[in-house]
Amino acid sequence: MKPKSISAATRPRVGKWLVTGPPLAYLLLFFAIPSLIMVLASFRTPGEFGGLAPLFEEGRLDLNLDSYVRFFSESIYAQIFAKSVWYALATTLFCLALAYPLAALIAKSGRRYRDLLLLLVILPFWSNFLIRVYAWMIIFGPNAALARTVNGVLAWFGHEPVPLLFSSFAVLVCLVYVHLPFMVLPLYANLEKHDQALLDAAQDLGANAWQRFWRITFPLSLPGVYAGAALVFIPALGIFAIPDILGGPEDSLIGNVIKQQFLETRDWPFGSVLSIVLTIAALFLAGLAACVARGNLGTPSSVKAARA
Amino acid sequence: MALLEIQNVTRRFGDFTAVDNVSIGIEAGEFFTLLGPSGCGKTTLLRMIAGFDLPDGGRVLLNGEDLAGRPPERRPMRMVFQSYALFPHMTVEGNVAFPLQMAKTPAAEIGAKIAAALEDVRLQGFGKRYPHELSGGQKQRVALGRALVTHPAVLLLDEPLAALDAKLREEMQIELINLQKEVGITFVYVTHDQTEALALSHRIAVMNKGRVEQLDAPSKIYGFPRTRFVADFIGQCNLFSGPVAASGNGLVTVDVPALGPVRVATDSKLAPGRPATIALRPEKIRIEATAPADTPDNHYRGTVADLLYMGDVTVYRVATPGGMRVEALLANSQSGRAKFFEVGDAVEMSWSVEAGHFIEE
Ligand SMILES: Nc1ncnc2c1ncn2[C@@H]1O[C@H](COP(=O)(O)OP(=O)(O)O)[C@@H](O)[C@H]1O
Ligand SMILES: [Mg+2]
């Protein structure tokens, strides 16, 4: 007879697989395997009419580093990369600057208003992303009130009129607009948990409002800041629809180049190389942020100051 | 004039009066306690002293200066919060350094001051730890060290020991007494625990429903409670009510129904017929198996209705023939003998005219 303990021990393990199995299978099927296919594609030769050339040519394996060589030898791609990082960084910083006071306001408001304000933050998700981007096209349009007001003021100072649409300005504004909720929500979730007694204690110990923010609230909100930054920075780094619709030719970002490689130039291996570099860059920057976060939490500035 | 003057302070929340016309003068170097049941307005009063809340009426003066215009960060007082409120992202040193940095203490002096404060609260060697790495008692000490490091004029403590277990609480009480003596800072201490208040304080203000019922030294509060509330709240107390039967020569006799005439020595003049209440502590009552040899001032018979053995003492509830329950307390000073009487035993109770005293109604 089988000892009872074994069946009792296996049962939870079966349950665990039932729970974790489907999502694991999903990730394997739709993330891990496609990623591996992409890595393989990056070493292959583009086909004559797009797609990929056969893997076996005249009995030998056709794998090469041509696309990687191209990426590192033509500086234009590194420049576009740098520009994309720059746009993503600017988006993250603007989102942080706008979201922090908003999240703090929501966290501080009473129960009734809090839910309403949160609803307003996520309300834009109810309409399609592309529709919202096209809406900005109308707002920035040359005959819209915004452009006419801006150019009216400029003319008053004797300045040439400027186009708002198809500009870096339009791209950045829309990037910030689209990503703002992703910064507000984690910040709110963090700030909402803060203990008022800590602020009272800080005030009692002589800290004014500014010192209370910088020494207590802000350091304690850093996990929320990092979560929001990651949620904004990573998608903003790979975005292509917004520069496509609202940007000029100068505003092409890495996402646009990747899309171009697959849909227009039909150079799949090179597109794969760009995608891989983008993924690695995002992972690297996220890892760097995590390290900074841990270092920051490990030795707060107050302690350094106390030791000095 | 006292160091800290609370003058006719009132605080209302809507039509509820949390603090009702309270006036207290606290002297420099005093260990002063606000004692009262939960919800009686102790925290509200303390927060008005600290400046987190402003009175609707009355004033708070420190060294004769009205503090009304001063926010908490500019009052030379420190508060120790019940939850400790340690900054979780700073080490013990960082926490203790915080008020020094806020006071713009030169960096060269900060290290020595932190070390001195940590020594005061016996936490040497814990400077590099984070709050989550400390026990409850240690957190409490950090909160004390942080509050004391800048040598404030007054330290405000809101039930600082409530979260500790009984053994540690007793230890911390002794430490608090020593610490207060050592640093010589005025302590304003809030608690709902009467034994804690009696053990720690130089003076106690007993609060009830936002008012101060009695302000006295611990021995006076315990021995001579002035009101029914104070008598009831501070330890056990027998309360005998009835009309005054006779009065004169510093002796008043009250006719207590179900017990009999009770004689009390008093200076106050009570007209016969007037209702009066006598407070009598259980330990002032003598109970014996046989009638006392001398002729005591007050002497009654009864039977033990129930008893509570507490180790050091036993509390007997004696039923009189008239149906009244009188509580008496006997120290179990003879080792090996748990109690002197059993339930159902007939006993003789007696007490002197000095044992009881009149309270206000
Ligand atoms: N901010 C407030 N708003 C409304 N009522 C309050 C507020 N603060 C305290 N109270 C009320 O005032 C009374 C006294 O509270 P508190 O001072 O905290 O009592 P204690 O500290 O003696 O337990 C309580 O009944 C409480 O509900
Ligand atoms: Mg309280």
Side-chain angles (χ1 to χ4, degrees):
Chain A
M1 201 181 101
K2 229 160 105 179
K4 238 188 195 145
S5 62
I6 288 184
S7 66
T10 44
R11 212 174 301 127
R13 214 179 302 154
V14 170
K16 201 171 115 189
W17 279 109
L18 276 176
V19 173
T20 55
L24 275 178
Y26 182 91
L27 280 177
L28 194 70
L29 203 61
F30 296 110
F31 179 73
I33 294 176
S35 295
L36 287 175
I37 293 174
M38 190 179 73
V39 171
L40 184 66
S42 72
F43 293 104
R44 291 172 65 177
T45 310
E48 213 167 324
F49 307 104
L52 298 165
L55 192 52
F56 291 97
E57 193 83 60
E58 291 154 11
R60 62 179 190 83
L61 203 58
D62 181 21
L63 289 178
N64 57 69
L65 289 171
D66 291 358
S67 300
Y68 286 94
V69 171
R70 181 174 162 208
F71 176 79
F72 287 109
S73 57
E74 289 175 36
S75 66
I76 176 77
Y77 297 111
Q79 280 169 25
I80 292 176
F81 236 105
K83 190 162 69 182
S84 304
V85 170
W86 176 241
Y87 270 63
L89 211 59
T91 305
T92 309
L93 290 178
F94 279 119
C95 278
L96 183 62
L98 291 174
Y100 208 109
L102 183 58
L105 177 81
I106 299 174
K108 272 204 168 33
S109 49
R111 271 255 155 257
R112 276 172 53 216
Y113 297 104
R114 188 181 292 186
D115 295 342
L116 180 71
L117 288 169
L118 280 175
L119 183 71
L120 289 177
V121 169
I122 57 167
L123 201 61
F125 290 130
W126 291 4
S127 67
N128 180 280
F129 167 75
L130 280 178
I131 289 174
R132 284 183 284 139
V133 178
Y134 277 115
W136 279 102
M137 223 171 151
I138 297 167
I139 296 170
F140 284 127
N143 295 319
L146 183 66
R148 274 196 272 166
T149 312
V150 168
N151 285 321
V153 172
L154 286 179
W156 211 72
F157 286 101
H159 201 285
E160 292 287 303
V162 293
L164 293 183
L165 194 55
F166 308 128
S167 69
S168 319
F169 174 73
V171 172
L172 205 57
V173 167
C174 192
L175 276 171
V176 170
Y177 158 76
V178 163
H179 291 102
L180 195 59
F182 297 101
M183 186 65 94
V184 173
L185 294 177
L187 270 179
Y188 161 77
N190 175 286
L191 290 171
E192 192 252 347
K193 289 192 304 242
H194 283 208
D195 181 5
Q196 177 62 32
L198 292 184
L199 292 178
D200 282 353
Q203 185 173 18
D204 186 69
L205 295 167
N208 60 33
W210 188 244
Q211 289 165 322
R212 292 200 290 279
F213 176 76
W214 278 115
R215 296 294 305 273
I216 311 297
T217 305
F218 187 71
L220 288 175
S221 71
L222 280 178
V225 171
Y226 292 127
L231 286 179
V232 171
F233 182 82
I234 293 171
L237 192 59
I239 200 126
F240 62 86
I242 293 173
D244 254 4
I245 296 167
L246 296 173
E250 291 297 299
D251 299 309
S252 232
L253 299 182
I254 196 67
N256 302 91
V257 180
I258 293 172
K259 183 186 149 221
Q260 205 179 32
Q261 294 305 317
F262 281 98
L263 298 184
E264 287 148 43
T265 323
R266 301 182 73 77
D267 187 342
W268 288 17
F270 191 59
S272 299
V273 168
L274 292 174
S275 294
I276 289 167
V277 175
L278 179 64
T279 307
I280 291 172
L283 281 177
F284 173 76
L285 289 169
L288 196 70
C291 282
V292 169
R294 203 164 308 136
N296 243 332
L297 293 177
T299 43
S301 56
S302 57
V303 181
K304 286 179 202 142
R307 286 189 192 135
Chain B
M1 177 170 229
L3 173 74
L4 185 64
E5 283 277 351
I6 296 157
Q7 296 180 342
N8 308 99
V9 165
T10 297
R11 180 75 174 104
R12 294 182 201 90
F13 297 110
D15 47 10
F16 173 76
T17 308
V19 174
D20 193 359
N21 196 21
V22 167
S23 296
I24 299 172
I26 298 171
E27 304 292 338
E30 197 172 14
F31 198 128
F32 191 91
T33 297
L34 298 169
L35 171 66
S38 171
C40 72
K42 309 180 295 290
T43 298
T44 306
L45 182 56
L46 205 67
R47 287 178 69 84
M48 286 191 284
I49 300 174
F52 289 114
D53 204 357
L54 292 175
D56 295 317
R59 310 190 296 171
V60 178
L61 309 176
L62 185 73
N63 281 322
E65 182 207 348
D66 192 342
L67 293 177
R70 286 222 217 179
E73 64 265 36
R74 296 207 292 113
R75 296 189 181 196
M77 304 191 224
R78 295 285 184 249
M79 186 140 163
V80 174
F81 294 80
Q82 187 180 335
S83 63
Y84 314 135
L86 299 181
F87 305 132
H89 57 302
M90 300 182 193
T91 57
V92 169
E93 279 180 355
N95 270 281
V96 178
F98 188 85
L100 294 170
Q101 291 160 351
M102 294 304 112
K104 305 235 158 33
T105 311
E109 295 169 27
I110 288 187
K113 292 201 170 173
I114 295 175
L118 290 184
E119 198 184 318
D120 278 345
V121 294
R122 305 202 295 113
L123 272 181
Q124 301 104 308
F126 286 86
K128 303 282 184 278
R129 297 231 195 148
Y130 281 91
H132 70 264
E133 298 169 314
L134 301 174
S135 71
Q138 290 166 339
K139 282 184 199 164
Q140 180 61 71
R141 287 166 212 260
V142 177
L144 279 169
R146 184 176 72 174
L148 289 171
V149 71
T150 49
H151 295 283
V154 179
L155 189 69
L156 310 170
L157 304 101
D158 192 358
E159 314 224 6
L161 307 185
L164 304 179
D165 59 67
K167 187 102 187 132
L168 193 56
R169 198 176 322 144
E170 198 168 306
E171 216 170 277
M172 281 300 292
Q173 284 174 4
I174 292 171
E175 267 185 52
L176 272 177
I177 295 175
N178 293 335
L179 184 66
Q180 200 265 343
K181 234 183 270 169
E182 219 173 279
V183 296
I185 290 171
T186 309
F187 277 29
V188 181
Y189 192 95
V190 160
T191 183
H192 66 267
D193 181 335
Q194 34 109 1
T195 53
E196 191 168 294
L198 293 173
L200 293 175
S201 326
H202 296 145
R203 283 194 304 157
I204 299 173
V206 183
M207 288 182 68
N208 181 31
K209 295 186 182 143
R211 292 169 185 272
V212 174
E213 292 251 344
Q214 187 170 356
L215 198 166
D216 251 324
S219 59
K220 286 276 170 46
I221 297 268
Y222 183 81
F224 302 97
R226 237 186 20 223
T227 64
R228 182 180 281 266
F229 173 81
V230 176
D232 234 16
F233 188 70
I234 315 282
Q236 293 300 325
C237 206
N238 293 297
L239 295 172
F240 304 131
S241 296
V244 174
S247 176
N249 294 337
L251 211 64
V252 172
T253 307
V254 177
D255 233 340
V256 180
L259 185 68
V262 178
R263 276 169 287 274
V264 175
T266 178
D267 298 334
S268 44
K269 303 242 180 308
L270 293 167
R274 177 189 181 283
T277 299
I278 299 161
L280 179 68
R281 293 288 180 196
E283 69 271 19
K284 300 266 175 75
I285 299 178
R286 221 163 80 192
I287 56 174
E288 289 152 303
T290 53
D294 51 356
T295 40
D297 307 318
N298 296 291
H299 175 210
Y300 314 89
R301 289 204 174 79
T303 48
V304 176
D306 43 62
L307 56 82
L308 246 140
Y309 175 64
M310 317 239 279
D312 49 350
V313 295
T314 303
V315 176
Y316 298 92
R317 294 221 289 166
V318 179
T320 64
M324 173 177 264
R325 295 284 155 99
V326 179
E327 217 163 83
L329 187 147
L330 230 56
N332 297 320
S333 47
Q334 259 171 293
S335 56
R337 185 153 168 200
K339 40 195 178 267
F340 292 93
F341 305 103
E342 296 294 342
V343 173
D345 284 0
V347 291
E348 312 269 337
M349 298 182 285
S350 59
W351 59 87
S352 73
V353 288
E354 279 85 27
H357 75 279
F358 287 101
I359 60 171
E360 297 161 10
E361 281 296 334

